[in-house]
Amino acid sequence: MTFVLPLILGHRGARAVKTENTLEAFRYACQAGIKWVELDAMLSEDGVVMVFHDETLERLTGKVGRLDEMTAEELQKLSLKSGGKIPTLAEVLDVLKEFGACANIEIKPSRSELARETARKIWQTVCEKGFDDPDRSFFSSFAWDALEETAALAPQIRRGVLVGKKSGDWRSAAEKVKAYSINYDADLLAPELIAEIKNRGYRLMAYTVNDPDRAKQLRSAGVESFFCDDPAAMRKALS
Ligand code: G3P
Ligand code: MG
């Protein structure tokens, strides 16, 4: 396998089709022939890497509380409101392995002080599951110190600096972590910024893009990769 930057990644699996970040969502994306999926990884109270987007449980489970205040065993007993369970990263990687698929692991520390520990635990799981291969894994994070940690631990695995409305100066962060890509909020991408990112030598990935016309416009401006909630539909629209 050789690394090819994908045009389309399944965002949280395929969150427009199946409950986000569930095994069902990843299986669905893989069965639809999507090679790369994005997932959000966060630590439980007992330090197990769970695949979950929010620090709090309410939106997805209806339960009040925080993910990092429950053990993995407790979390796995919860049912998600729209179906499915909260998987561990190990379980998700098993599914991806079954399909020969690849993982963009977004490191999402539940608290800023947990950034480096979250990165270390993720790397441990990635190694245990045989995803410690630059062709199969790719890290990204809004917590740039987590990326610094992966740069030290696993320099061979590519890193994408995530940038959103509340982010600081991505330029210095990207230099510091030797970023491969800048993963930018699509709503903030203007032509001059796209040109600057490309001129600085980074690949450019945009989240979250669900409108094929916007994807086409961004693509012609230089965006190389899109995180999509219905990746199969986007692939069809762009083909
Ligand atoms: O990695 C792209 C995207 O997932 C970043 O935002 O909030 O959906 O994790 P979010
Ligand atoms: Mg994400």
Side-chain angles (χ1 to χ4, degrees):
M1 210 188 276
T2 33
F3 180 84
V4 180
L5 184 69
L7 175 62
I8 291 161
L9 294 92
H11 185 229
R12 308 184 203 168
R15 73 183 291 249
V17 188
K18 302 280 177 186
T19 309
E20 65 182 57
N21 284 321
T22 57
L23 297 182
E24 292 74 16
F26 297 112
R27 237 180 237 124
Y28 165 82
C30 292
Q31 275 161 354
I34 299 300
K35 192 89 188 147
W36 281 84
V37 291
E38 185 263 359
L39 60 93
D40 303 294
M42 196 181 285
L43 298 184
S44 65
E45 186 187 34
D46 53 339
V48 177
V49 187
M50 309 302 295
V51 177
F52 199 72
H53 180 272
D54 300 357
E55 292 150 26
T56 54
L57 297 167
E58 200 159 3
R59 177 177 66 94
L60 290 158
T61 71
K63 186 184 157 64
V64 176
R66 291 180 59 88
L67 184 101
D68 61 9
E69 287 173 351
M70 289 179 77
T71 65
E73 199 185 331
E74 287 165 345
L75 289 165
Q76 292 210 287
K77 285 186 188 141
L78 299 176
S79 294
L80 296 171
K81 283 200 290 194
S82 46
K85 300 273 182 190
I86 305 174
T88 63
L89 176 61
E91 289 170 334
V92 172
L93 294 181
D94 280 341
V95 167
L96 300 186
K97 197 185 284 176
E98 233 178 86
F99 290 94
C102 307
N104 169 208
I105 301 174
E106 184 191 332
I107 307 169
K108 255 199 201 306
S110 60
R111 301 175 191 273
S112 52
E113 62 272 25
L114 290 176
R116 288 174 188 274
E117 189 187 338
T118 307
R120 286 195 292 273
K121 290 261 166 64
I122 288 172
W123 177 238
Q124 196 183 324
T125 308
V126 163
C127 292
E128 282 163 9
K129 290 292 166 187
F131 272 76
D132 53 331
D133 172 346
D135 298 338
R136 296 199 79 177
S137 299
F138 171 63
F139 290 129
S140 57
S141 193
F142 290 106
W144 298 336
D145 45 348
L147 293 177
E148 237 181 282
E149 190 71 17
T150 69
L153 278 174
Q156 71 279 22
I157 307 290
R158 290 171 181 81
R159 292 166 294 284
V161 168
L162 270 164
V163 187
K165 293 182 183 71
K166 297 183 198 147
S167 301
D169 178 25
W170 57 269
R171 296 162 187 85
S172 52
E175 268 180 48
K176 201 166 180 185
V177 307
K178 298 193 175 61
Y180 169 76
S181 66
I182 307 297
N183 300 8
Y184 227 100
D185 180 341
D187 294 341
L188 307 177
L189 280 173
E192 315 76 61
L193 180 58
I194 295 175
E196 184 194 350
I197 293 169
K198 305 307 293 294
N199 287 337
R200 286 176 181 260
Y202 301 113
R203 302 301 178 101
L204 178 54
M205 305 172 80
Y207 68 88
T208 306
V209 182
N210 291 317
D211 172 8
D213 290 335
R214 176 71 176 143
K216 284 176 195 161
Q217 189 188 43
L218 287 170
R219 198 179 177 188
S220 42
V223 176
E224 289 149 304
S225 220
F226 301 98
F227 296 89
C228 309
D229 292 332
D230 186 343
M234 184 61 88
R235 187 187 48 194
K236 199 166 166 211
L238 295 188
S239 64

